[in-house]
Amino acid sequence: MTSIVEIRNLKKQYAPTAGQKEGQLAVKGIDLMIEKGEIFSLLGPNGAGKTTTISMMSGLLPPTAGDVLIGGHSIVAEPMAVKKMIGVVPQEIALYPQLSARQNLEFFGKMYGLGGGELAKRCDEVLDFIGLKDRQKERVDSYSGGMKRRVNIGVGLLHKPALVFMDEPTVGIDPQSRRNILDAVKQLNQQGMTVLYTTHYMEEAEELSNRVAIIDHGEIIAEGKQGDLIQKVGEKDAILVKVGEDGQKAQQAVKEAHGVDGVTFSDGVLRILAGRGRQALPNVIKALSEAGVVIQSVEVKEPNLEAVFLHLTGRALRD
Ligand SMILES: Nc1ncnc2c1ncn2[C@@H]1O[C@H](COP(=O)(O)OP(=O)(O)OP(=O)(O)O)[C@@H](O)[C@H]1O
Ligand SMILES: [Mg+2]
């Protein structure tokens, strides 16, 4: 496997603000490796250090210590070589509101060194990709939040970068725009682009990426394939069975079922813990039927990245 990004002991301490003796240590010496061709998610709550990391990786903010190699080039020593390779979609929308989508793309395209027929062609392609061809001539300040987000993404793609950084591109938009953006990320990846995607939505990291790093208080607290992370924390599956009033009887019936590790009852719902929920499920249902318990609904919940975060920090991801 070839790495396209190597983050080495990357650190950022901001300058002290008024009243602070020492500046905020926002990124505390992180190491990460991103493989060519993958979608890698950096998952973490507000203030974890995601944007600070992305800003250093894209040359907007000098690191306090450490380095990042992108395609073998140092962001500190060879920033120009790095800039050619990367596209950046910042968290804060950076567009000219009085200009149209197309004018914004043309402006930023020129900054990337594109011009003439090539620029026009790329603008057409990008507008098509972000689904705004029909409305390209309207001013950006007349767009919805989701449309602005899409233009913001388009700007990052104009020069066909090998690697794109997307910093929370779906925050504050409607579900349909969010769906469009997630699908667009997958499509870009299928075309060969490597994507670094930051989010505080566990579901997005789960859907998009194979490998994930969880960042909290400026430190990487877990990193690897999702399945491995979940397995490592040793959380069990939970089978939730709605049984209404029959709690006592139901609990008794299920306790001895094969594959069941524990069972509790509250608010009309049995919560059954099992190492392998799907395998234990038929035994659970059989035991309940035999005891004459009426099952109103059944759900198997497998542990997710939220459980990993909770296990490692004792906090929910969206505190
Ligand atoms: N310019 C700055 N000067 C001082 N401190 C800063 C600055 N920018 C960010 N910070 C602090 O650094 C820490 C990390 O912030 P950062 O914006 O990187 O987090 P984040 O993970 O992107 O959060 P969010 O999900 O809210 O975007 C926070 O404690 C923040 O207050
Ligand atoms: Mg941020």
Side-chain angles (χ1 to χ4, degrees):
M1 251 161 285
T2 337
S3 66
I4 189 164
V5 175
E6 278 182 59
I7 303 182
R8 295 180 176 170
N9 191 29
L10 189 66
K11 248 180 229 170
K12 183 69 195 182
Q13 180 159 28
Y14 284 107
T17 49
Q20 273 184 331
K21 221 157 83 203
E22 280 193 0
Q24 175 82 22
L25 190 54
V27 175
K28 299 176 182 167
I30 63 172
D31 295 281
L32 276 182
M33 212 266 300
I34 298 174
E35 284 161 18
K36 201 163 181 248
E38 74 174 331
I39 303 177
F40 187 95
S41 288
L42 187 60
L43 176 69
N46 288 141
K50 302 181 295 295
T51 299
T52 305
T53 302
I54 296 277
S55 300
M56 289 190 282
M57 294 176 73
S58 41
L60 298 171
L61 200 62
T64 307
D67 200 355
V68 183
L69 300 185
I70 294 181
H73 301 289
S74 154
I75 54 158
V76 178
E78 308 162 86
M80 288 319 288
V82 168
K83 279 196 178 129
K84 285 203 186 106
M85 291 188 65
I86 61 170
V88 183
V89 180
Q91 180 170 10
E92 300 299 333
I93 289 177
L95 299 170
Y96 290 96
Q98 300 95 333
L99 299 184
S100 69
R102 186 169 193 104
Q103 286 168 330
N104 267 284
L105 290 174
E106 285 169 351
F107 175 83
F108 287 105
K110 282 177 193 154
M111 291 210 340
Y112 285 127
L114 299 173
E118 196 196 356
L119 177 60
K121 182 166 162 272
R122 277 307 286 156
C123 287
D124 285 335
E125 286 170 357
V126 165
L127 284 161
D128 203 26
F129 182 74
I130 60 178
L132 287 175
K133 212 169 192 169
D134 297 344
R135 304 191 56 180
Q136 58 176 289
K137 293 193 174 141
E138 294 169 40
R139 280 164 59 129
V140 161
D141 57 9
S142 71
Y143 284 177
S144 71
M147 291 164 76
K148 285 180 192 156
R149 283 269 165 212
R150 274 141 69 189
V151 181
N152 209 39
I153 291 174
V155 167
L157 302 176
L158 272 171
H159 60 302
K160 289 195 178 168
L163 169 67
V164 67
F165 305 151
M166 294 193 178
D167 195 2
E168 305 210 46
T170 62
V171 168
I173 60 172
D174 62 280
Q176 196 192 338
S177 299
R178 170 190 253 211
R179 186 71 261 148
N180 287 342
I181 288 175
L182 293 178
D183 289 343
V185 172
K186 289 191 219 170
Q187 209 178 323
L188 288 170
N189 182 248
Q190 275 155 16
Q191 292 164 10
M193 205 178 277
T194 307
V195 181
L196 170 59
Y197 189 95
T198 84
T199 182
H200 64 271
Y201 297 122
M202 180 246 347
E203 305 86 342
E204 291 192 352
E206 283 185 347
E207 174 177 341
L208 289 177
S209 48
N210 180 22
R211 292 200 315 128
V212 176
I214 301 180
I215 185 168
D216 189 38
H217 296 306
E219 285 176 297
I220 303 294
I221 57 171
E223 191 227 323
K225 292 186 180 169
Q226 292 190 40
D228 294 347
L229 294 182
I230 290 163
Q231 228 172 20
K232 230 188 265 174
V233 302
E235 293 281 334
K236 292 186 192 295
D237 295 348
I239 306 171
L240 306 178
V241 187
K242 201 166 167 204
V243 295
E245 303 291 295
D246 268 348
Q248 283 286 340
K249 189 164 81 173
Q251 210 172 340
Q252 207 56 39
V254 159
K255 230 163 46 187
E256 303 299 323
H258 188 67
V260 169
D261 297 327
V263 54
T264 55
F265 177 79
S266 68
D267 296 329
V269 178
L270 280 181
R271 187 182 174 84
I272 300 156
L273 290 180
R276 288 166 186 264
R278 285 174 202 285
Q279 289 177 17
L281 184 61
N283 308 331
V284 166
I285 291 175
K286 185 160 171 270
L288 289 173
S289 317
E290 281 173 6
V293 175
V294 179
I295 298 172
Q296 295 172 5
S297 68
V298 179
E299 188 188 354
V300 179
K301 282 197 136 168
E302 289 165 355
N304 53 24
L305 289 173
E306 182 83 46
V308 175
F309 189 81
L310 189 68
H311 183 92
L312 292 171
T313 67
R315 284 177 288 125
L317 195 52
R318 267 173 256 179
D319 267 356

